[in-house]
Amino acid sequence: MNALRPASTARVDPSRFTRFALARYVGYAPLALLLLVAVLIPMLLPNFLVLQVSTALTFALAILGLNLLLGFAGQVCLAQGALFACGAYTTAILVAQAGWPALATLPVAAAVTALIGVLIGLPALRLGGLQLAIVTFGVAVLTPQLILKFDRLTRGVTGITFDPPAPPAWLPVGPDLWLYALCAIATAVCAVLALRMTRGDSGRALQALRDNPLVATSLGVDLVRARLAAFAVSSAFAGLGGGLFAILNGYVSPQSFLAGRSIEILIGAIVGGIGSVSGAFLGAFFVVFVPEWTAELSPALGGLIYGVCLIVMMLVARDGLVGLAQRIAPTLFSLARKGLPTRSAATAPAPNHKQETSP
């Protein structure tokens, strides 16, 4: 009687599966690394550097909003600097003139900026591409002039000064660490919200809107609602970042929100990686720290060195730092796997070639 033979099964290459899983989830590695760095920063850095990191986190919120809008929804917007200014002035006016607690102004700053973002997004229903970019950049250019125009509310060139919030009495930390904790918590919450938005049905709807609006409509996506929602969330993130920026400095003025601020936010999004949540943080650190480091290297050639850094970044990492990590991580992992069996084989005992004879 013949023995029953097991059914043949398809062979699975474990290394190929591992590379696929690594390529899929390697995007979380920078986010996990940033979380670890965020915990270690107060322990390792002096207070003035902690304040700079806090400033970078406020810019990360604006860049994160732009990544959602441009990278996932495919909507061009060069008005993030103006929305950043709106959030900052909302917080400053409510604290200095209305006597609100500083922390209570942050939700209002996000809500007001989201409403303005919806108004900015209305032209996106008919315009797109370069035309929409010009319209939104016009908003960025117009914002400092509007701040000067309404000087009774914004105090014009003088700006608005107020005292940053003190840490609670039950929390034994200094003001710098307290403000850093506020920025870190706010950015962490927004990063989680952004990850939820880019996954599941909402993420697929945004990607369909970006890739082909006609296909998105055939799939049941409401284009008007999706576009305005993307502008609202992106603007809310920028407004929250602006409110935190005002609290950090205790001062706002039109000079802090010129049109170049929107360009800096766009540079941060491109360098970090458009369409990536963790790339917003990497891009924010780039635009905050790299110009200062280049200026310290050579005060006369700081701008030139910074420009060269941008050119090199685009040549080496066209899809941003996160995209570069996603490309090289599977290769490095594969090289590491190829090296491990060689070393283990060298130390393994020689196989016994003696054949056993059957009885």
Side-chain angles (χ1 to χ4, degrees), residues 26 31 120 142 156 168 211 215 240 248-249 259 266 276 280 287 350 356:
V26 72
L31 201 60
I120 295 176
L142 186 61
D211 297 336
V215 174
L240 180 59
L248 281 177
N249 294 275
L266 178 62
S276 169
V287 298
E356 297 181 358

Side-chain angles (χ1 to χ4, degrees), residues 67 75 84 94 101 136 151 180 182 207 232 245 247 254 257 274 287 314-315 321 339 343 358:
N67 280 358
Q75 302 299 301
F84 194 77
L94 290 178
T136 54
D151 55 346
Y180 168 77
L182 290 178
Q207 293 176 12
F245 180 81
I247 291 175
F257 308 106
I274 295 178
V287 298
M314 289 301 96
L315 293 177
L321 294 174
R343 291 191 297 268
S358 56

